[in-house]
Amino acid sequence: MLAMNYRGPKRVRIDQKPEPTILHPEDAIVRVTRSCICGSDLHLYNGLVPDTRVGSTFGHEFVGVVEEIGSEVTNVKVGDKVLVPFNIACGKCAFCKQGLFGNCHEANSQATAVGGIFGYSHTAGGYDGGQAEYVRVPYANVGPTVIPEGMDPDDAVLLTDVVPTGYQAAEMGGIQKGDTVVIFGAGPIGIMAAKCSWLFGAGRVIVIDHIEYRLEFARNYAQCEAYNFKSMDDPVLFIKKETDWMGADVCIDAVGAEAAGDVMQTITGRKLILQAGSATALHWAINSVKKGGIVSIVGVYGPTDNLIPIGDVVNKGITIRANQASVKRLLPKMIEHVQNGVLDPKGLITHRVPLEEISDAYHIFSEKLDNCIKPVLIPPSANR
Ligand SMILES: NC(=O)c1ccc[n+]([C@@H]2O[C@H](COP(=O)([O-])OP(=O)(O)OC[C@H]3O[C@@H](n4cnc5c(N)ncnc54)[C@H](O)[C@@H]3O)[C@@H](O)[C@H]2O)c1
Ligand SMILES: [Zn+2]
Ligand SMILES: [Zn+2]
C-alpha cells in the first residue's frame, strides 16, 4: 500500500509499505478515505518530538471503511464507515473509566503521561498512523465510531481531533457568561477554540497570531476579533489595555512548542532545542490573564523541562488546565453540534491533496503557504 514515510526532519515521502494485519483479536483494519495533516504533525516533521523513528507513518486524523476485524470486535463490522479518534484507548483502565481517553494507561507502554496516539512517535506508543491507504486500529471496540448517516466525511474527519480539541480548550477555560477569552494561535485548533468559546457564553473572543490570512479566516469563521502580534510592541500590554487593565478572564494556548515572537525562546527552544520548545505563547497567556484567571493549554510541548514563568502562575493564583483532547468523551455532543449546524468543521478545509503529493502538503502547511488552514489528504484507496 501507499503510506507516508518519515525520513528525518523536514523529509517525508510516499512509499510502498506492507499492508497492516490483525495482530490482536480487538484490532480492526481500516481503509482510509481521508486523512489530515495537523499542527501536531509539524512538531514531528520538524524533528522536535523525541523518538520519532525513521520509517514511521504519521497521521492521527482519519476516516475510512472497516475492511477486516479481529475475533473480539463487536462494536463495528466490516463495511462500516468510521471516524477514528486520535487517542488510542483501551476503554477499561482507571483513566479511560474517568473519560480521560487521552491518558490511557494501557495503550502506551511508556504511559507516564500521554496515552497512545496514531502516528505520533514511540513516545506515544509507536503506532503507525493514517496518512496511508490502510491502518491498524487497536482496541476497535472503543475508538472507531460509525459516521452518522448523511454526515459529510469532511466534517467527520475533523471530529477525530480538531473539533473536540478546540471545544475542550474552551471547556478547560471554565468560561463564564460574558467572559473575555483570548486565544493564542489562529491555526485550525485556535480557530475552533474561538468558535466554541461562544458556545460557553463568552462575551468577547480575541485571537492573536502573526499570519494575516489566518487572522482574516478566524474573523470570518469564528466571528471574533483577531490581531497581529507583529504590529504590537508587547502583546501582554495590548491585552491589558483591551481589558481595562484587568487582564483576560481566560487565555488559551493553541500554539505549543513552535511559537514565534521571542528571539531567545526561538533560539533556545526551536533552534538549539535546549528546552522543550519555545514557550512564547504560554508566557503571553500567563502574563495577560487576570489574577485568579484560567489558562487552558492544548498546544503541545515536549516532555522535558521548559522555561515557563511558573513563579507568576503561583503569584497570580491562576489555574492552568491542560491535556490531550479526550475525543471519545466529547464525540456525542460534537456530532450533535455538527448535525444541528452549530459547528461547521469542513469550513476549515482549504486544501485537498492526493496522498501521493504528501511531501508538498507538509511543505505548504508547515510554511503556511497558499492561505492554507487545514489540508486533507485523499489516498487512492478512497476510490476503491
Ligand atoms: N491537546 C490536543 O489534544 C491537541 C490536538 C491537536 C493539536 N494540538 C496542538 O495545538 C497546537 C495548534 O495546532 P494547529 O493544528 O492549529 O497548528 P498550526 O501550526 O496550524 O497553528 C499554529 C498557529 O500559531 C501561530 N503562532 C506562532 N507563534 C505564536 C504566538 N507566539 N502567539 C500566537 N500565535 C502564534 C502560528 O502562526 C500558527 O498560525 C499545536 O501545538 C498542536 O500540536 C493539541
Ligand atoms: Zn491533530
Ligand atoms: Zn485505558
Side-chain angles (χ1 to χ4, degrees):
M1 66 165 180
L2 291 179
M4 174 268 185
N5 183 348
Y6 175 69
R7 307 309 302 161
K10 293 198 190 287
R11 287 174 64 215
V12 298
R13 68 180 190 219
I14 280 294
D15 271 337
Q16 284 291 337
K17 271 189 154 185
E19 278 181 26
T21 51
I22 301 275
L23 300 179
H24 184 278
E26 281 180 79
D27 283 353
I29 303 297
V30 168
R31 171 168 59 86
V32 178
T33 51
R34 267 180 191 57
S35 62
C36 295
I37 303 176
C38 174
S40 299
D41 291 322
L42 298 181
H43 310 319
L44 299 167
Y45 178 67
N46 291 329
L48 286 176
V49 181
D51 213 0
T52 304
R53 298 189 191 172
V54 165
S56 56
T57 296
F58 303 167
H60 57 269
E61 304 181 0
F62 58 91
V63 295
V65 182
V66 177
E67 282 275 309
E68 197 185 340
I69 53 173
S71 57
E72 288 173 22
V73 174
T74 51
N75 268 4
V76 288
K77 55 183 192 313
V78 170
D80 279 350
K81 292 182 179 154
V82 290
L83 65 95
V84 183
F86 77 86
N87 331 97
I88 301 176
C90 77
K92 296 186 190 114
C93 72
F95 298 103
C96 285
K97 279 192 187 143
Q98 293 172 57
L100 293 166
F101 295 99
N103 309 99
C104 175
H105 211 55
E106 294 297 324
N108 180 4
S109 55
Q110 316 269 4
T112 49
V114 76
I117 300 177
F118 288 98
Y120 213 75
S121 85
H122 277 66
T123 51
Y127 297 94
D128 267 342
Q131 289 167 7
E133 294 196 280
Y134 295 89
V135 61
R136 180 176 77 92
V137 175
Y139 306 108
N141 288 322
V142 182
T145 300
V146 175
I147 298 173
E149 202 52 44
M151 179 178 280
D152 191 314
D154 285 350
D155 282 330
V157 76
L158 294 174
L159 282 168
T160 64
D161 182 347
V162 172
V163 179
T165 301
Y167 187 89
Q168 188 169 312
E171 183 190 60
M172 290 192 297
I175 299 168
Q176 304 290 313
K177 205 169 168 22
D179 272 359
T180 296
V181 181
V182 174
I183 295 144
F184 293 94
I189 301 298
I191 294 170
M192 190 53 74
K195 180 88 188 166
C196 291
S197 292
W198 298 116
L199 302 180
F200 289 90
R204 191 172 173 198
V205 179
I206 298 172
V207 169
I208 308 281
D209 201 301
H210 64 136
I211 298 179
E212 276 301 331
Y213 82 81
R214 290 189 155 209
L215 292 167
E216 188 57 30
F217 194 102
R219 283 183 204 109
N220 293 329
Y221 186 89
Q223 302 84 40
C224 60
E225 298 166 57
Y227 302 105
N228 192 329
F229 67 75
K230 272 206 230 148
S231 62
M232 303 167 186
D233 287 338
D234 178 356
V236 174
L237 210 57
F238 172 83
I239 291 160
K240 292 264 172 75
K241 272 189 193 156
E242 286 289 317
T243 54
D244 272 344
W245 302 100
M246 297 294 278
D249 299 296
V250 177
C251 281
I252 295 174
D253 172 357
V255 181
E258 297 194 64
D262 180 289
V263 175
M264 276 315 286
Q265 288 281 341
T266 301
I267 291 174
T268 56
R270 291 171 62 191
K271 305 287 181 218
L272 302 177
I273 318 191
L274 295 175
Q275 52 170 343
S278 147
T280 305
L282 191 48
H283 270 258
W284 292 349
I286 289 172
N287 292 332
S288 52
V289 79
K290 71 178 183 188
K291 294 172 197 167
I294 296 182
V295 173
S296 159
I297 307 170
V298 285
V300 163
Y301 292 90
T304 51
D305 189 34
N306 222 312
L307 299 179
I308 56 155
I310 193 71
D312 292 351
V313 173
V314 176
N315 291 340
K316 292 179 80 172
I318 57 184
T319 304
I320 294 186
R321 310 187 77 187
N323 208 343
Q324 299 288 334
S326 208
V327 177
K328 189 180 160 67
R329 174 178 70 82
L330 289 168
L331 268 182
K333 188 181 275 176
M334 299 300 96
I335 287 173
E336 204 182 301
H337 280 334
V338 174
Q339 287 178 325
N340 296 339
V342 173
L343 294 176
D344 164 31
K346 65 174 178 296
L348 292 174
I349 295 173
T350 50
H351 288 65
R352 299 168 168 281
V353 186
L355 182 65
E356 296 91 317
E357 293 166 24
I358 194 163
S359 171
D360 288 345
Y362 267 91
H363 179 64
I364 289 169
F365 183 54
S366 161
E367 299 303 321
K368 296 359 184 195
L369 303 174
D370 198 25
N371 292 348
C372 182
I373 300 287
K374 188 73 179 173
V376 174
L377 302 165
I378 316 286
S381 54
N383 308 319
R384 245 160 244 156

